[in-house]
Amino acid sequence: MPSSENLHPIGVFDSGYGGLTILQQLRRRLPQYDFLYLGDNARAPYGPRSFDVVYEFTRQAVVKLFSMGCHLVILGCNTASAKALRTIQMNDLPRIAPEKRVLGVIRPTVEVIGDITQTRHVGIVATEGTVRSESYTLEIQKFHPDIKVTGQACPLWAAIVEAGEADTEGAEYFVRKRIGQLLEKDPDIDAIILGCTHYPLLMNALKKAVPANITIVSQGEYVAESLRDYLDRHSEIDAQCTKNGTIRYFTTENPERFKECAALFLHEDVDVERVELI
């Protein structure tokens, strides 16, 4: 394996563990690339935090990933994508790293949703912070102004996943409750976007709660395909990404705790190191 000094991996950042579902799809679609995953688990969750705090934490993570050799960073976190991405792209990158790029997870899903919905009524289930930011609504209306978007905050879902309770009756109860609330707001919804990267692990409960005529839209595959397309179109960025098929994991929390949770998301054991963000 090449030394870390010679690696220029694609960085994937999340406030916690949910971004591992994005990483998993990226690795499947782009197995030859090197990846570096950073979870700010010590300060998670980001969802309830203010825009200013999420921006500052995310900026710190991006700077850290740049210092670790990443030329391209994916914010594998809906809250960070909603509350921090645009400011980082517009204000920080031109000043600190104009040759580097930071991308989010919201736009790839938004771009394809118009091909998925027939009724033009779409639901979003996400953290309170993502729903309140209306980032999905604004992005969808930018690309598809004829689509009506209805959001539903699901504050306990991520905690249920991280507790290893995704396939329990308790999980089914809370999923059924929030899906019911969403469909009460708009019975014409025919597509529901999982606007939090934890939520794919609730797929069994979701399939029981969501009527068969409604498509459940999980972000990972669309983010991965969008990144593949992005690298095809931006050869100068692609050339800066090394391709040895390696993956490294870092956390701001206890590495042993990260290993336990990562096993829930990835179904494999991982080696992880602790870092600090300042």
Side-chain angles (χ1 to χ4, degrees):
M1 179 184 296
S3 68
S4 59
E5 290 78 12
N6 296 324
L7 292 176
H8 296 290
I10 296 172
V12 180
F13 169 69
D14 186 20
S15 58
Y17 304 100
L20 292 169
T21 62
I22 300 296
L23 175 65
Q24 193 172 42
Q25 293 297 328
L26 293 176
R27 291 171 66 193
R28 287 175 180 168
R29 186 70 182 84
L30 304 163
Q32 71 274 34
Y33 287 78
D34 297 309
F35 289 96
L36 191 160
Y37 184 89
L38 172 59
D40 188 13
N41 308 88
R43 301 188 293 196
Y46 279 14
R49 296 185 182 274
S50 69
F51 273 74
D52 288 344
V53 169
V54 171
Y55 158 69
E56 181 57 28
F57 286 178
T58 305
R59 185 196 63 78
Q60 292 171 2
V62 167
V63 170
K64 183 68 174 180
L65 287 165
F66 286 169
S67 75
M68 298 170 82
C70 299
H71 290 275
L72 173 63
V73 173
I74 309 299
L75 301 185
C77 171
N78 283 273
T79 302
S81 295
K83 295 184 175 182
L85 176 62
R86 186 161 298 178
T87 303
I88 288 172
Q89 287 176 330
M90 296 179 65
N91 295 352
D92 294 297
L93 287 186
R95 180 172 50 84
I96 65 172
E99 76 289 356
K100 297 182 180 182
R101 297 292 180 270
V102 180
L103 306 174
V105 293
I106 292 177
R107 177 164 287 193
T109 314
V110 165
E111 289 176 345
V112 300
I113 196 64
D115 297 327
I116 295 172
T117 176
Q118 301 299 313
T119 65
R120 318 310 280 174
H121 290 250
V122 171
I124 310 291
V125 287
T127 65
E128 186 174 351
T130 297
V131 171
R132 188 180 298 162
S133 75
E134 296 191 334
S135 293
Y136 271 98
T137 302
L138 295 171
E139 286 293 315
I140 288 175
Q141 290 179 345
K142 190 185 303 179
F143 284 89
H144 314 285
D146 61 318
I147 292 179
K148 178 183 177 182
V149 182
T150 303
Q152 175 61 52
C154 306
L156 291 177
W157 287 16
I160 289 170
V161 169
E162 291 193 7
E165 300 290 325
D167 290 313
T168 63
E169 290 184 5
E172 290 181 14
Y173 168 80
F174 285 109
V175 168
R176 189 166 57 247
K177 178 179 179 180
R178 298 305 182 191
I179 293 298
Q181 290 173 339
L182 174 66
L183 297 180
E184 280 181 15
K185 295 177 184 176
D186 185 355
D188 294 326
I189 287 171
D190 72 345
I192 296 176
I193 295 174
L194 305 186
C196 174
T197 50
H198 283 70
Y199 295 176
L201 274 74
L202 291 165
M203 191 60 74
N204 290 335
L206 283 160
K207 287 180 177 177
K208 292 180 181 179
V210 174
N213 65 305
I214 297 176
T215 302
I216 302 171
V217 182
S218 185
Q219 296 172 295
E221 60 186 284
Y222 300 109
V223 173
E225 187 57 38
S226 178
L227 180 57
R228 173 68 275 175
D229 179 65
Y230 179 88
L231 292 170
D232 286 342
R233 290 184 291 106
H234 295 85
S235 57
E236 75 285 2
I237 301 297
D238 183 67
Q240 296 180 69
C241 301
T242 51
K243 303 171 181 68
N244 302 285
T246 67
I247 173 68
R248 292 179 292 157
Y249 299 90
F250 295 86
T251 177
T252 58
E253 219 343 330
N254 185 321
E256 292 304 316
R257 167 64 176 158
F258 185 95
K259 287 181 181 181
E260 292 175 9
C261 279
L264 294 173
F265 286 81
L266 301 175
H267 306 292
E268 64 179 88
D269 293 329
V270 302
D271 292 322
V272 60
E273 298 177 44
R274 186 178 181 276
V275 295
E276 290 188 4
L277 299 180
I278 54 175

